[in-house]
Amino acid sequence: RSLELDPRLMLRVLVLATALPAAFSWGVGSPIPSTQRAKPTAQRADVGRVRAIAELVRTDEKPALGNVLPDCPPTIWSADDLDVDAWQKTYREERDGRVCPIEIEATPAANAAGKEYFVQRREEFKEMLEEHGTIWFKGFDLMKDADGFREFWESLDLDPCLDPIHSSGLRKFLSKKDAVYEEVNKQALAKHYIGLHNESTFKKTATTGAFVCFKPATIKGGEFMIADGEAIFRDMDPEILKKLIENKVRISVSNLDFDFLLPLPDSPKEAAMEKLKTMVDEMIAPKFDMDLDMIYGTDGKEMRLQAIENPQSPVNRHPKTGRPVWFCNMHNHARYLRERRPCSVPEVGMTDVFWGDLSIIPGDVLDHVNEVCEKNIARVPMQPGDVLLCDNYRVLHGRDIFEGDRLHAVSWFGEQPEGVERKEQDAASNVLNSFINKFVVGE
């Protein structure tokens, strides 16, 4: 006789599973087929296409972008045959020349010029971003609200896209019409330290991010953090770095504990476990487009189903420059590190990092990764109107804990690899995003 589970139990599991990525930050992408890999010299495609579509429905106000944003572009991978020693030597020799972030402070004349200041210096800022990885625009009046923030990035001719995990519900739009997402400002996560990560999944990576401060934390804390992936690569112990590259890593992004099945006899228990695994794998995980494997007991807990990303290198070549960078969310995702700093995510959202064969990464390796990442963190005390324009392949970001109210936001931009068809927005993901924000995360 087939095993029947209580429909109410199924609903509970569905809701939990729907929140898979909702309490974790962002995973590192896995390789896409070689036919889809863009060469370092790949050129931007469909520049301004989003805005062109929006113009068709123009009113007296700026056209609304929210419903015409394309999907985030695919992750571009090139991680084979890296000469770690040679590149570390190169980066050490360049140490003083590639400061990250580089600061651009507003002058009265720049503020008086408004968006034209950015239009006129567009190419200069493009070159500056490639050289330094992040530009910190300080003291500009234009970007103190969502409308002005949009004028800023439109002036730089950046093409917006959806967040790589748009459907996860981790963040909602702050201004949908302007393609502006709210950052993690919720009080429920104020005491949660967000470690360094790239805005990336197995399949998708935003090319560039623009982070804006509308209001810093009213009491204390909440500093935005960035770290140069080239500098992290440079400062890693070469033997540890080579071992990480050789072994690869796998990131677990969620835990679903089914301990309530333990009282069942072995045969019905196994059948129930398999049914729940299949349900999550077939009905929920595909909605997030993350290529997750559902595996029981990886961390030693028999009844824990973990959603685990494919093996991946923690190092990647930048798709434009070809220079290697630390491109891994281990600093944020390793449970060993999370348990040693402020962490307020529920167990369902607790992440972890394993070797590529799913064995445990020793604590001394994780301690070293943490030490090097922390050494290279730049804490940015952003004020209203400040913007950090970040190369998302090169620069990792995070956020410290805070007290009081805080309002930061972000827009994402995607340059489509040459020869890869641009994927339009999935309407179903918008429905799921709204559902999770309302009923799981809490608006």
Side-chain angles (χ1 to χ4, degrees):
R1 191 165 75 90
S2 62
L3 177 71
E4 297 295 336
L5 294 180
D6 186 337
R8 291 171 296 179
L9 173 60
M10 289 291 202
L11 179 60
R12 173 172 173 261
V13 172
L14 278 169
V15 172
L16 286 173
T18 298
L20 284 180
F24 69 89
S25 288
W26 299 269
V28 178
S30 68
I32 59 176
S34 58
T35 56
Q36 294 184 11
R37 289 183 184 172
K39 298 177 182 178
T41 56
Q43 298 298 309
R44 181 177 179 180
D46 289 336
V47 175
R49 184 167 178 264
V50 176
R51 297 193 295 277
I53 294 173
E55 289 289 343
L56 296 177
V57 292
R58 174 180 283 280
T59 65
D60 291 338
E61 299 180 351
K62 277 186 173 291
L65 299 176
N67 290 326
V68 297
L69 287 176
D71 200 1
C72 187
T75 302
I76 304 171
W77 272 87
S78 176
D80 298 331
D81 303 320
L82 279 170
D83 189 334
V84 169
D85 295 317
W87 276 107
Q88 286 189 324
K89 181 175 182 295
T90 296
Y91 287 172
R92 285 193 293 270
E93 292 171 351
E94 297 175 343
R95 182 184 297 268
D96 297 329
R98 292 171 66 87
V99 61
C100 177
I102 188 168
E103 300 180 13
I104 301 294
E105 192 154 4
T107 63
N111 273 329
K115 66 180 182 180
E116 287 304 314
Y117 170 83
F118 299 100
V119 172
Q120 293 167 10
R121 300 185 66 182
R122 180 188 298 153
E123 293 305 315
E124 178 186 350
F125 290 143
K126 182 178 179 180
E127 293 175 3
M128 195 178 292
L129 183 64
E130 184 170 307
E131 176 71 16
H132 297 279
T134 298
I135 305 173
W136 179 8
F137 294 99
K138 302 173 63 176
F140 286 89
D141 295 333
L142 178 66
M143 295 90 86
K144 289 185 176 180
D145 58 38
D147 289 340
F149 178 50
R150 174 175 169 177
E151 287 194 331
F152 157 78
W153 56 253
E154 285 185 331
S155 299
L156 297 180
D157 200 25
L158 296 170
D159 210 15
C161 67
L162 291 174
D163 186 292
I165 52 171
H166 173 75
S167 61
S168 75
L170 182 64
R171 283 199 305 256
K172 62 181 179 180
F173 278 117
L174 180 67
S175 177
K176 185 175 181 179
K177 71 180 182 66
D178 297 311
V180 179
Y181 285 91
E182 184 176 355
E183 277 193 54
V184 186
N185 301 308
K186 295 180 175 67
Q187 286 298 310
L189 293 173
K191 298 302 182 184
H192 175 66
Y193 177 97
I194 300 175
L196 296 175
H197 60 279
N198 304 93
E199 201 74 10
S200 178
T201 72
F202 264 168
K203 295 183 176 181
K204 305 172 186 178
T205 299
T207 307
T208 310
F211 301 88
V212 61
C213 172
F214 294 133
K215 180 170 69 174
T218 53
I219 298 178
K220 66 177 182 178
E223 291 86 2
F224 198 78
M225 304 183 297
I226 61 168
D228 188 347
E230 289 187 359
I232 294 173
F233 179 96
R234 177 196 67 205
D235 293 340
M236 284 278 186
D237 179 285
E239 296 310 311
I240 291 178
L241 184 57
K242 291 173 188 176
K243 185 174 182 179
L244 283 162
I245 293 171
E246 179 183 359
N247 290 0
K248 293 185 169 51
V249 299
R250 297 193 73 174
I251 297 178
S252 169
V253 299
S254 182
N255 297 328
L256 293 172
D257 290 327
F258 298 135
D259 292 342
F260 56 85
L261 297 178
L262 278 172
L264 294 177
D266 287 346
S267 182
K269 180 178 70 175
E270 291 173 3
M273 290 171 66
E274 188 61 29
K275 188 163 186 175
L276 289 168
K277 174 183 174 180
T278 300
M279 180 186 68
V280 173
D281 193 30
E282 294 182 356
M283 297 174 61
I284 302 301
K287 296 182 186 298
F288 298 99
D289 198 18
M290 291 183 67
D291 280 353
L292 299 169
D293 288 334
M294 302 298 163
I295 303 174
Y296 279 106
T298 304
D299 63 354
K301 295 188 178 295
E302 175 191 3
M303 306 306 296
R304 174 167 290 166
L305 181 65
Q306 292 183 298
I308 302 178
E309 298 179 309
N310 291 337
Q312 59 208 244
S313 170
V315 170
N316 194 11
R317 288 186 180 89
H318 191 282
K320 284 190 174 181
T321 67
R323 294 162 63 95
V325 294
W326 177 258
F327 189 70
C328 184
N329 297 346
M330 186 181 294
H331 182 256
N332 184 53
H333 280 37
R335 184 171 191 141
Y336 174 88
L337 299 179
R338 281 193 160 191
E339 289 179 338
R340 286 159 175 77
R341 61 192 182 210
C343 178
S344 60
V345 299
E347 187 60 51
V348 67
M350 183 60 79
T351 57
D352 208 349
V353 184
F354 304 95
W355 288 123
D357 63 1
L358 292 179
S359 58
I360 301 298
I361 299 177
D364 60 341
V365 172
L366 295 171
D367 283 334
H368 178 68
V369 171
N370 184 65
E371 178 185 355
V372 174
C373 286
E374 297 281 342
K375 171 185 175 182
N376 284 287
I377 285 177
R379 294 177 178 271
V380 186
M382 299 173 71
Q383 298 301 308
D386 285 6
V387 170
L388 284 173
L389 185 65
C390 297
D391 179 332
N392 186 50
Y393 272 94
R394 174 175 165 182
V395 175
L396 301 90
H397 61 277
R399 189 223 67 199
D400 207 346
I401 61 174
F402 66 93
E403 293 182 18
D405 296 325
R406 176 184 187 271
L407 185 58
H408 285 229
V410 60
S411 288
W412 297 110
F413 311 97
E415 298 179 18
Q416 298 294 330
E418 189 175 332
V420 176
E421 182 180 355
R422 186 171 196 132
K423 185 177 179 183
E424 300 303 328
Q425 187 174 148
D426 179 7
S429 71
N430 290 329
V431 174
L432 190 59
N433 177 278
S434 297
F435 172 83
I436 295 173
N437 268 299
K438 186 173 183 64
F439 297 107
V440 180
V441 179
E443 292 183 324

